[in-house]
């Protein structure tokens, strides 16, 4: 597994405002959207392409285009939905799948309640959108499901990550074709499984508290 922390002043600037408890939900959603596009730029450096011959208004030339099968973008519902627009804006030809997962607040274990993806992902590059890599349980479960369906190149894009989550991915996905791209690697998790200093609950910050 490979982890890439994007070191860029604009990433740090937007993360600072996202972390601020005074930032309201509309601003949080907008900044998360902008930040995802910056992270996606780094995450797609190895997107698969093929050569194509074209004619410009001046002369023939050879360029590149995304190869088939198209990449698949999979936001983890619900907070991952807030990252989708920023990702497909950069990668519009990509197809989109959905994975609904929930974490038990007592055990911190993740379980799947919704799944809308192709059954066969053989040869597909998959980009998973999950704002917080905290305990790592949700992302481990998601990646295992993608690999079970045949994905051979999975990139997770996270706004923030905790060392404990990274360690869990390295332990449970050893040898798997997985890359994690994140805006920052924070200090630790607290007793409730939240990233410290973090930014709180990403879903609640984006959409408010429901239920």
């Amino acid at each position: 597994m490979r982890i890439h922390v994007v070191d860029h002043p604009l990433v740090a600037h937007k993360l600072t405002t996202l972390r601020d408890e005074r930032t309201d939900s509309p601003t949080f959603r907008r900044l998360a959207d902008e930040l995802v596009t910056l992270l996606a730029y780094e995450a797609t450096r190895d997107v698969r392409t093929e050569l194509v011959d074209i004619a410009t208004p001046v002369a023939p030339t050879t360029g590149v285009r995304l190869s088939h099968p198209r990449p698949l973008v999979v936001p983890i519902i619900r907070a991952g939905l807030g990252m989708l627009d920023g990702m497909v804006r950069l990668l519009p030809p990509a197809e989109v799948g959905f994975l609904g997962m929930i974490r038990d607040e007592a055990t911190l274990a993740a379980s799947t309640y919704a799944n809308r993806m192709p059954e066969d992902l053989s040869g597909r590059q998959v980009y998973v959108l999950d704002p917080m890599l905290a305990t790592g349980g949700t992302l481990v479960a998601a990646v295992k499901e993608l690999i079970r369906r045949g994905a051979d190149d999975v990139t997770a894009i996270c706004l923030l990550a905790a060392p404990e989550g990274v360690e869990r991915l390295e332990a449970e996905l050893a040898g798997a074709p997985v890359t994690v791209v994140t805006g920052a690697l924070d200090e630790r998790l607290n007793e409730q499984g939240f990233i410290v200093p973090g930014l709180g609950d990403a879903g609640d910050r984006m959409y408010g508290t429901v239920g």
Side-chain angles (χ1 to χ4, degrees), residues 136-210:
T138 299
L139 197 52
V140 165
V143 171
K144 285 183 175 179
E145 176 62 20
L146 295 168
I147 292 175
R148 186 190 70 79
R149 292 172 181 246
D152 64 0
D153 187 339
V154 179
T155 299
I157 301 176
C158 307
L159 304 182
L160 292 178
E164 293 90 337
V166 172
E167 290 170 6
R168 182 169 181 178
L169 261 64
E170 290 174 338
E172 298 194 32
L173 300 174
V178 180
T179 298
V180 175
V181 176
T182 184
L185 183 60
D186 275 11
E187 297 173 11
R188 59 183 173 85
L189 295 180
N190 64 14
E191 294 76 9
Q192 289 75 42
F194 282 94
I195 299 176
V196 178
L199 49 76
D201 185 296
D204 288 350
R205 297 288 307 276
M206 285 181 185
Y207 303 116
T209 56
V210 179

Side-chain angles (χ1 to χ4, degrees), residues 62-200:
T62 300
V64 298
R65 66 184 176 194
L66 293 183
S67 59
H68 290 275
R70 297 297 191 197
L72 181 70
V73 176
V74 180
I76 296 180
I77 303 171
R78 89 180 146 140
L81 289 175
M83 303 171 68
L84 181 58
D85 286 349
M87 184 70 189
V88 296
R89 184 181 302 113
L90 187 72
L91 200 63
E95 295 180 349
V96 179
F98 296 93
L99 191 57
M101 306 194 77
I102 189 167
R103 186 178 74 163
D104 187 294
E105 296 303 327
T107 66
L108 303 184
S111 60
T112 301
Y113 65 86
N115 192 325
R116 184 72 173 176
M117 295 188 297
E119 186 59 38
D120 184 7
L121 295 176
S122 300
R124 301 287 291 267
Q125 283 181 297
V126 183
Y127 296 91
V128 182
L129 309 180
D130 191 10
M132 314 296 284
L133 172 51
T135 65
T138 299
L139 197 52
V140 165
V143 171
K144 285 183 175 179
E145 176 62 20
L146 295 168
I147 292 175
R148 186 190 70 79
R149 292 172 181 246
D152 64 0
D153 187 339
V154 179
T155 299
I157 301 176
C158 307
L159 304 182
L160 292 178
E164 293 90 337
V166 172
E167 290 170 6
R168 182 169 181 178
L169 261 64
E170 290 174 338
E172 298 194 32
L173 300 174
V178 180
T179 298
V180 175
V181 176
T182 184
L185 183 60
D186 275 11
E187 297 173 11
R188 59 183 173 85
L189 295 180
N190 64 14
E191 294 76 9
Q192 289 75 42
F194 282 94
I195 299 176
V196 178
L199 49 76

